[in-house]
C-alpha cells in the first residue's frame, strides 16, 4: 500500500488518492491524478482535506479486497460533515464488484474499472451532479492515449511505465484475467515517446510494467516487437540509464530476452519470475503449463547469460489439494534456485476463478499458516545470505532520496537492494559504492570517487 503524490495542474479542488496492490496501480494512480488535474484537482496527502477521495484497489486476495470496505467505513464521518465530498473506488475491486460496492456502501459516488480511467473527468462531473457514476467497460480504444495530457512536472529518478496490461494465461487461482481483461500491448512508439518524456523530466530508471510483461507484443517499426526488442530500443534513449521489467511468466522468457540479460548493459540484473509451487501436481492444477524442472532449467539458462542475476519469485501455499509432499517440493525448489528475494502468500479463493469454483479440498488453515511460516523463514534466510554476500563488493547505486538520518542518502543497487551512504551525492546521481555493512533490510556503503 502506498500513497502517490505528484504535481498536477494547480487547481482549487483537492484530491486524495490511496493506492493498494501492485506497481501498476501506483502507475495508474499517477495517471488518474494527472487526468483529474484537468478538472481542477490538486493532490493532497490526507483524506480530511479532500473534496474527492479515490481508492485505487486490489482484488488479488480476499484480505486486500475487504480492506476497501473498512477503509470506506472510516470516511463516513467526513461524508456526513461534508455532503459535497465525493468518494470513488477505482481499480480491480471496482472492476470485479461494480455496482455491488454502491449497494454495500451507498456513500460511494463513483466506481471506475482499470480500463476506463480516461473517462474519469466525465464520471467526476456526473458524480458532481449527485448521480452515481459507474464504468467498468473494456473499451477498444487505448486509454493511455487519452491519459496523455500530462503536465511536464519533474519526476523522481525511478519511474514505472505500463507497456502491457491484462493476461491470457488463466492460472486457476488468479483474478487478473477478469479484472484487467485480455492481454493488450501498447504500440512501441508510444512507449518510447513516454520514456523520452520521462527522461526529460529527470527519470534515469524505468521499470516496464505488465501483468505479463514478457508476453509484450506491441506494434513497432517493421512489425510486432517483443519485449527484448523494446528494451534494446529503450536502451538507445540517452539519459535513460537503467531498465527493469515486471512481472513475468516463465513460459514467455524467450531466447532474445534471456540474451538481453547478458548483452544489454542498461538491463538490470534482477528478475522477478514467479513459479508459485515446486510440485508438478500442483503446477498442473494451477494451470501453469510448465513443470518445476522446466523452471529450474530456465533459470540455469538465464544465469548462463547473466551469472550474477538476482532471482525473485512468488509462491502460493495451501492451494487446494496441496499435500505435505507437494509443499516439500516447493521448499526443495526454493533451496535449489536460491532467491535474492521472494514473496509468498496463503492461497485465497477468488470468486469466479476456476480454483474457487472447483470443490477440491481446502488445506486446513493452520497447516497452511505453518507452511507459509516455514517458507518465509527459508526465503528470509536466502535474502539475508544474498545481502550479506554484498559486503566488500562494489555496486552501482541510483540515489533516489534523502535518508532518515541527517546527511544520509538512499538509493537502489542494480540488484534492487536499498543502499544508504553518508557521502555527498545528489538525487538522480548514479555512483559506484563499496558495501561495508548489511542490515536487516538495507545495505550501508561508501561512495567511490
Ligand atoms: N491467492 C493467493 N495468492 C495469490 N496470488 C495471485 N492470486 C492469488 C490467490 N488467489 C499471488 C501470486 C501472484 C501474486 C501477484 O499474488 O503469487 O504471483
Ligand atoms: Fe491487485 Fe492484480 Fe489488480 Fe494489481 S492487477 S491491483 S495485483 S488484482
Amino acid at each position: 500500500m502506498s500513497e502517490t503524490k505528484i504535481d498536477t495542474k494547480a487547481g482549487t479542488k483537492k484530491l486524495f488518492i490511496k493506492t493498494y496492490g501492485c506497481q501498476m496501480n501506483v502507475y495508474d494512480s499517477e495517471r488518474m491524478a494527472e487526468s483529474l488535474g484537468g478538472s481542477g484537482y490538486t493532490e493532497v496527502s490526507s483524506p480530511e482535506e479532500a473534496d474527492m477521495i479515490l481508492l485505487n484497489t486490489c482484488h488479488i486476495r480476499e484480505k486486500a479486497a475487504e480492506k476497501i470496505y473498512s477503509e470506506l467505513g472510516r470516511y463516513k464521518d467526513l461524508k456526513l460533515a461534508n455532503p459535497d465530498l465525493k468518494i470513488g473506488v477505482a481499480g480491480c475491486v471496482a472492476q470485479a464488484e461494480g455496482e455491488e460496492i454502491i449497494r454495500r456502501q451507498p456513500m460511494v459516488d463513483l466506481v471506475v474499472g482499470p480500463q476506463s480511467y480516461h473517462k474519469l473527468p466525465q464520471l467526476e462531473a456526473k458524480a458532481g451532479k449527485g448521480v452515481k457514476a459507474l464504468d467498468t467497460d473494456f473499451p477498444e480504444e487505448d486509454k493511455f492515449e487519452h491519459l496523455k495530457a500530462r503536465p511536464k512536472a519533474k519526476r523522481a529518478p525511478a519511474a514505472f511505465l505500463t507497456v502491457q496490461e491484462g493476461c491470457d494465461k488463466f492460472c486457476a487461482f488468479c483474478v487478473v484475467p477478469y479484472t484487467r481483461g485480455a492481454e493488450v500491448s501498447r504500440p512501441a512508439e508510444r512507449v518510447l515517446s513516454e520514456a523520452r518524456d520521462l527522461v526529460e523530466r529527470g527519470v534515469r530508471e524505468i521499470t516496464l510494467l505488465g501483468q505479463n510483461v514478457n508476453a509484450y507484443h506491441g506494434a513497432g517499426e517493421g512489425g510486432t516487437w517483443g519485449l527484448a526488442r523494446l528494451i534494446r530500443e529503450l536502451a538507445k534513449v540517452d539519459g535513460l540509464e537503467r531498465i527493469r521489467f515486471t512481472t513475468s511468466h516463465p513460459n514467455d522468457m524467450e531466447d532474445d530476452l534471456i540474451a538481453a540479460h547478458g548483452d544489454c548493459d542498461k538491463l538490470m540484473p534482477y528478475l522477478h519470475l514467479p513459479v508459485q509451487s515446486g510440485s508438478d501436481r500442483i503446477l498442473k492444477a494451477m494451470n501453469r503449463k510448465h513443470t518445476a524442472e522446466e523452471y529450474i532449467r530456465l533459470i540455469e539458462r538465464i544465469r548462463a547469460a547473466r551469472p550474477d542475476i538476482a532471482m525473485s519469485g512468488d509462491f502460493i501455499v495451501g492451494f487446494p489439494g496441496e499435500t505435505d509432499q507437494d509443499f516439500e517440493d516447493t521448499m526443495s525448489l526454493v533451496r535449489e534456485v536460491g532467491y535474492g528475494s521472494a514473496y509468498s502468500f496463503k492461497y485465497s479463493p477468488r470468486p469466479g476463478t476456476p480454483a474457487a469454483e472447483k470443490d477440491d479440498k481446502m488445506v486446513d488453515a493452520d497447516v497452511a499458516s505453518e507452511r507459509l511460516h516455514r517458507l518465509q523463514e527459508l526465503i528470509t534466510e536466502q535474502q539475508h545470505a544474498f545481502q550479506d554476500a554484498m559486503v566488500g563488493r562494489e555496486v552501482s547505486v541510483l540515489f533516489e532520496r534523502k535518508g532518515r538520518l541527517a546527511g544520509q542518502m538512499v538509493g537502489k543497487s542494480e540488484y534492487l537492494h536499498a543502499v544508504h551512504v553518508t557521502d555527498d551525492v545528489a538525487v538522480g546521481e548514479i555512483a559506484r559504492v563499496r558495501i561495508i555493512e548489511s542490515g536487516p533490510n538495507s545495505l550501508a556503503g561508501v561512495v567511490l570517487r
Side-chain angles (χ1 to χ4, degrees), residues 3-20:
E3 287 165 21
T4 44
K5 233 180 109 193
I6 54 164
D7 288 332
T8 48
K9 206 194 284 177
T12 50
K13 293 180 281 183
K14 297 193 169 69
L15 171 69
F16 172 72
I17 303 191
K18 191 158 180 169
T19 307
Y20 298 81

Side-chain angles (χ1 to χ4, degrees), residues 258-303:
I258 296 175
H261 279 283
D263 60 34
C264 178
D265 291 344
K266 290 187 181 179
L267 184 57
M268 293 293 101
Y270 177 98
L271 179 62
H272 184 237
L273 195 63
V275 62
Q276 315 296 353
S277 170
S279 153
D280 287 343
R281 229 174 52 78
I282 296 297
L283 287 171
K284 193 161 194 308
M286 286 176 164
N287 193 31
R288 292 286 296 177
K289 300 198 177 91
H290 60 76
T291 63
E293 183 65 20
E294 281 161 353
Y295 177 79
I296 288 167
R297 296 286 91 84
L298 172 62
I299 291 182
E300 282 171 3
R301 285 169 55 218
I302 296 165
R303 284 190 167 140

Side-chain angles (χ1 to χ4, degrees), residues 1-6 8 14-20 25-37 41-48 50-57 71 75 86 88-91 117 120:
M1 181 169 70
S2 61
E3 287 165 21
T4 44
K5 233 180 109 193
I6 54 164
T8 48
K14 297 193 169 69
L15 171 69
F16 172 72
I17 303 191
K18 191 158 180 169
T19 307
Y20 298 81
N25 268 11
V26 175
Y27 176 85
D28 285 344
S29 289
E30 289 168 0
R31 300 286 80 71
M32 286 193 275
E34 287 175 353
S35 109
L36 284 169
Y41 281 93
T42 309
E43 232 185 323
V44 291
S45 54
S46 80
E48 287 76 20
D51 299 292
M52 177 158 168
I53 296 173
L54 199 54
L55 299 183
N56 192 7
T57 63
E71 185 69 20
Y75 299 145
K86 288 186 212 81
V89 177
Y117 292 157
L120 254 182

Side-chain angles (χ1 to χ4, degrees), residues 22 25 57-60 92 175-176 180 211:
C22 62
N25 268 11
T57 63
C58 174
H59 203 246
I60 198 95
C92 294
V175 287
V176 168
R180 292 276 172 172
Q211 268 88 33

Side-chain angles (χ1 to χ4, degrees), residues 11 18-20 56 82 86 109 118 191 196 215 218 243-244 280 312 330 350 355 358 364 394 398 405-406 440 444:
K18 191 158 180 169
T19 307
Y20 298 81
N56 192 7
N82 172 15
K86 288 186 212 81
D109 303 285
H118 52 295
V191 173
R196 285 185 215 108
I243 302 166
R244 305 180 186 276
D280 287 343
S312 170
T330 298
R350 308 308 294 127
K358 270 215 256 29
D364 176 82
E394 238 184 71
L398 168 60
L405 304 177

Side-chain angles (χ1 to χ4, degrees), residues 329-375:
D329 291 347
T330 298
M331 294 290 279
S332 309
L333 178 140
V334 173
R335 280 187 210 103
E336 187 161 353
V337 170
Y339 287 92
S341 69
Y343 306 88
S344 46
F345 313 97
K346 222 189 288 182
Y347 170 70
S348 166
R350 308 308 294 127
T353 59
E357 303 301 314
K358 270 215 256 29
D359 40 42
D360 277 0
K361 207 165 167 288
M362 283 290 284
V363 172
D364 176 82
D366 290 339
V367 171
S369 298
E370 167 68 21
R371 287 178 189 165
L372 185 67
H373 179 74
R374 278 186 57 207
L375 177 57

